[in-house]
Amino acid sequence: MSETGTVERPTATDVVVVGAGVAGLSAAVAARDAGAQVEVAEAWPQIGGLSLLSSGYLRAADDLDRAVAYLRRLSAGTLPDDGVRTLAGYLVAAPALLEALAAEVGATAFARFGAELAPFESGDLHDWTGRDALGWTGIDALPGFDRYPHASGQRGHTLVRALELAARARGVRVQTSTRVVDLLIEHAAHGRPRVGGVVLDGPDGRAAVRARRGVVLATGGFEFDATALADHVPAPGIAAIGHRGNRGDGLRLAARAGAALWHLANVHGSYGFLLPGRDVPIRNHLGGARRDDRPVGWILVDRRGRRFTNEAPRAPQDTPWKALAAIDDASGEAWASPCWLLFDDDGRRLGPLGRPAWSRPQDRYEWSADNSAEIRSGAIVVAATLDELAQRIGLDPPALRATVAAWNDQVDAGADPLGRPPGTMAPLRRAPFHALRTVPILSNTHGGPRHDAAQRVLDGDGRPIAGLWAAGELGSWFGHRYLLGGNLTEALAGGAAAGRGAAARVQAVAA
Ligand SMILES: Cc1cc2nc3c(=O)[nH]c(=O)nc-3n(C[C@H](O)[C@H](O)[C@H](O)COP(=O)(O)OP(=O)(O)OC[C@H]3O[C@@H](n4cnc5c(N)ncnc54)[C@H](O)[C@@H]3O)c2cc1C
């Protein structure tokens, strides 16, 4: 790999990896370690994908059987049993994988379980068997490296950089600004397809590259494919905050080879804001696992002025979009898309409402610490009374007044019928009052090709498609609910499994 990302392109290699996020880079390193010549094609001008924007925390487990128990309940029948065991195995393997990577590049890795965890670090977990086996791992710091300049994030940058250094040390070729637009599909005996390479579209135009051993699809999500979103995610108006290079290519490439697709409807998301004049949405500030002792200074109300959801659920960036997208049976309306985020002056002072993420320098935005810049820009509507606020945002004043009065009573009683923990509840009493238009936000997707425990892509009859693997968010194991931090774990460990499998394939054939 050169600094500029340009290399002399061979017409054949052993393994082609499509996408240079954590899954793709991990696959490339593992394939190289298994003796394969590897080429990585990355559509974006820089490596890292959504992995850069991530918080960089990986879920880990210190006991396989207990992790299996937890994941079985979490997946609620959307995964075969060997899938549950494989994913649990990834959780167990993650700390050692990261420790080895960190040692190689001179970084520091951490892994924390049990009593080492602060209470809030498990705030997203349900009280199910196996909960106590779950902890966290990650890479803390990489001497001499701060962050890549073009995208938001910090710890995700460190993880990607560590993988980039490992790939570079192995002579893995990574071509940026090079999009895979097609697969080379050969038909073997009985007409069954075999993937024999890719068609690249890069700075020098289109070219075919044969993959003697296999192709690993690691193209991430489909959050910037409007058609796929409309087809699979029942949330009109949902706005994606992720990596703009993730355009659903992996869905189309895998489908070309006859892959079955799964987990398309399982997306993560929250609620957030589209500020005037900007087309990049901003998620609300709550991230990671909920802190039960951290006051959240707002409530959400729908366009009828009614509160409709727990604004601070266990995993605030993963499930809330569903409540905003819900359709009211009587009217057929999705009353909460868009909806309004309401807060008083005390709430304003609790901190910034938005937590921007961006994958291009021109999308960068810094939310003001006391929300004053967003008030000055007019994004946040301010009024001296609740009635005036209601009129300014088109809500029924008595309805809004009643909602806020009921909420303040619930705060005083420390009991929310919608399930918000008392420590997160804050009253709305101190004028001026504020409202911010709020939409459902998409963080990332999970759909993609169905695959087996070895990450081999499967066709509609459940048979592996020769020469094709998938890893990471594309065809994620998560089909129902999500385990916070599980995406990077499956990208790292599943990417390595896919890379090893692809590299090993020809050896098996040759043997
Ligand atoms: C704000 C935020 C915070 C998050 N924090 C965490 C966290 O702390 N822990 C966690 O586990 N998960 C987290 N996630 C989710 C996590 O970031 C992703 O699930 C994970 O990074 C996906 O990795 P990946 O390698 O599969 O895909 P990506 O990192 O998105 O990489 C895919 C790459 O493929 C490239 N590509 C796409 N199409 C093509 C093509 N046709 N040809 C060539 N290249 C192509 C893309 O440009 C991209 O670079 C977070 C998500 C968000 C939005």
Side-chain angles (χ1 to χ4, degrees), residues 94-411:
L97 282 173
L98 275 187
E99 206 181 307
L101 176 64
E104 181 182 332
V105 300
T108 322
F110 69 87
R112 289 195 294 272
F113 296 98
E116 298 157 349
L117 295 167
F120 71 84
E121 289 187 290
S122 304
D124 61 310
L125 297 178
H126 296 273
D127 197 16
W128 299 339
T129 303
R131 169 194 167 111
D132 54 348
L134 301 176
W136 291 100
T137 186
I139 290 190
D140 260 335
L142 186 54
F145 175 75
D146 181 24
R147 55 195 303 284
Y148 296 95
H150 65 277
S152 62
Q154 186 70 53
R155 200 182 285 272
H157 290 229
T158 312
L159 176 59
V160 168
R161 177 66 175 172
L163 286 164
E164 183 192 13
L165 291 175
R168 193 185 283 240
R170 286 162 176 75
V172 169
R173 285 184 288 238
V174 180
Q175 296 185 94
T176 51
S177 300
T178 300
R179 187 176 186 180
V180 169
V181 291
D182 211 345
L183 297 178
L184 300 177
I185 297 174
E186 303 149 4
H187 286 276
H190 315 298
R192 291 185 57 194
R194 177 195 179 283
V195 175
V198 301
V199 178
L200 305 174
D201 191 3
D204 303 328
R206 288 199 173 200
V209 176
R210 281 196 51 241
R212 288 182 290 261
R213 303 191 188 186
V215 172
V216 178
L217 296 177
T219 57
F222 60 89
E223 58 265 34
F224 286 99
D225 176 343
T227 305
L229 274 188
D231 286 351
H232 304 299
V233 182
I238 195 164
I241 60 167
H243 172 60
R244 287 179 172 254
N246 290 356
R247 293 169 283 200
D249 288 357
L251 299 182
R252 286 181 291 279
L253 294 169
R256 279 263 294 121
L261 301 180
W262 70 357
H263 302 162
L264 290 158
N266 186 31
V267 303
H268 283 174
S270 184
Y271 54 88
F273 323 110
L274 269 166
L275 301 187
R278 287 178 54 84
D279 66 350
V280 180
I282 297 175
R283 61 183 170 142
N284 73 70
H285 196 264
L286 305 178
R290 176 179 69 202
R291 294 188 68 140
D292 285 3
D293 58 353
R294 181 172 64 180
V296 174
W298 64 75
I299 60 171
L300 289 173
V301 297
D302 68 15
R303 298 195 307 287
R304 297 170 297 185
R306 301 179 191 173
R307 212 173 142 248
F308 59 93
T309 190
N310 171 1
E311 297 85 353
R314 290 168 190 271
Q317 291 297 333
D318 291 342
T319 50
W321 70 272
K322 295 180 187 178
L324 274 76
I327 294 172
D328 173 55
D329 188 44
S331 63
E333 293 282 346
W335 288 110
S337 180
C339 59
W340 291 95
L341 187 139
L342 291 191
F343 53 103
D344 70 355
D345 204 48
D346 289 337
R348 178 184 70 75
R349 292 166 197 272
L350 278 177
L353 300 170
R355 180 186 284 204
W358 62 88
S359 55
R360 302 181 303 189
Q362 64 265 39
D363 294 336
R364 185 184 183 117
Y365 183 82
E366 302 290 344
W367 197 289
S368 61
D370 60 359
N371 304 294
S372 57
E374 292 69 32
I375 291 174
R376 278 196 304 279
S377 75
I380 296 176
V381 181
V382 191
T385 65
L386 279 175
D387 280 9
E388 185 192 334
L389 188 69
Q391 278 157 2
R392 292 195 55 195
I393 61 177
L395 300 188
D396 177 45
L400 190 65
R401 229 184 299 128
T403 295
V404 172
W407 169 251
N408 287 338
D409 288 348
Q410 287 154 7
V411 177

Side-chain angles (χ1 to χ4, degrees), residues 466-488:
L468 194 60
W469 281 258
E473 206 180 280
L474 179 78
S476 162
W477 289 109
F478 292 99
H480 183 48
R481 274 162 292 193
Y482 175 59
L483 179 66
L484 208 61
N487 276 142
L488 287 177

